[in-house]
Amino acid sequence: MAATISKKVNIGSGYVYDVILNESFPAEKTIANLKTWLDTAVDDDNRIGNIKGGFKTDITTSTISDKDDMGEIRVDELTGEDGKVSFALFNSNAQTIERIYPTAKYEEADIEGKKWGMVSVGGIGNKTDEQHVIVFRHPSTADGDTIIIAVGKNMEGFSDEYKPDGVTPLSVAYNIQPVDNTGRLFYKIDVPKGYEWPGLKKLV
């Protein structure tokens, strides 16, 4: 089948969602199964915050490249792949830190009728081994949404910074984990124009 030249371009930002990986994530990742999971498991409650500066997916490779002395034979082999998704949160709080970092724990207390929240960070013995399904939605009423789905863990830490001259976004990066036993790293889905997400109607 001949390829069709796409009208889609990578312009503009979107929305990012964080879902703890569990048995609801389909084992067989067909387009239909992933659509059903998006329809039923991802909603506005999974939004981790508003992002600043967009969303980025990086795939890097390990290779063997060599050639003989006379330049008659060349070998180029792909030997490994690594992936990362990264974004920065424009808004965050103590509870957000627990969601993005494996040694963080959030707790709340009712003190004099008011809710207080606290996150404690650090200690390898306190880490969780949770994996996160990161979903990025780039909305487009003209050409249809684009969805990126990856499974990952934050292995890079974070900087929680305050400056006097403006908002300092909270940078987040997840090392991508393979999503199946063949080593697939992420999915990018072209959604047909006009499709409305059941749990995301507030964002349309």
Side-chain angles (χ1 to χ4, degrees):
M1 183 174 68
T4 302
I5 296 175
S6 173
K7 295 181 180 179
K8 286 190 172 184
V9 294
N10 287 20
I11 185 171
S13 191
Y15 306 98
V16 66
Y17 309 85
D18 180 323
V19 181
I20 301 299
L21 181 66
N22 58 37
E23 64 277 359
S24 72
F25 195 55
E28 185 180 0
K29 294 167 185 70
T30 63
I31 296 174
N33 287 350
L34 288 170
K35 174 198 173 292
T36 298
W37 180 80
L38 288 164
D39 284 344
T40 57
V42 182
D43 58 29
D44 288 344
D45 290 339
N46 301 122
R47 277 187 70 190
I48 192 170
N50 293 69
I51 58 177
K52 174 72 174 178
F55 183 93
K56 188 177 181 184
T57 306
D58 288 300
I59 301 295
T60 57
T61 62
S62 301
T63 61
I64 295 174
S65 294
D66 209 349
K67 62 182 178 181
D68 73 293
D69 291 346
M70 303 305 295
E72 296 176 348
I73 301 174
R74 182 175 180 90
V75 174
D76 287 296
E77 291 289 340
L78 182 66
T79 60
E81 296 173 308
D82 287 296
K84 181 187 298 182
V85 295
S86 55
F87 53 92
L89 294 171
F90 189 74
N91 53 318
S92 62
N93 60 12
Q95 195 169 12
T96 310
I97 303 297
E98 182 187 53
R99 293 179 70 177
I100 69 162
Y101 191 64
T103 71
K105 182 179 179 181
Y106 177 76
E107 57 188 296
E108 294 179 348
D110 190 313
I111 302 174
E112 298 176 351
K114 302 288 186 180
K115 184 176 76 172
W116 291 60
M118 179 179 75
V119 66
S120 51
V121 178
I124 298 303
N126 297 316
K127 75 178 177 68
T128 68
D129 289 317
E130 290 176 337
Q131 296 185 74
H132 297 251
V133 185
I134 305 302
V135 177
F136 173 70
R137 175 191 173 210
H138 178 266
S140 174
T141 55
D143 300 311
D145 292 357
T146 300
I147 300 288
I148 294 174
I149 302 173
V151 173
K153 288 183 176 182
N154 180 349
M155 296 284 105
E156 297 200 2
F158 62 93
S159 295
D160 193 17
E161 186 176 1
Y162 293 82
K163 294 180 179 178
D165 55 353
V167 175
T168 306
L170 178 65
S171 295
V172 183
Y174 290 87
N175 288 352
I176 297 177
Q177 309 288 314
V179 293
D180 63 19
N181 57 12
T182 72
R184 295 293 188 200
L185 292 177
F186 77 98
Y187 300 98
K188 185 172 184 175
I189 302 172
D190 290 326
V191 180
K193 179 179 176 179
Y195 183 74
E196 293 189 6
W197 299 98
L200 307 179
K201 289 184 178 179
K202 287 186 286 186
L203 304 182
V204 174

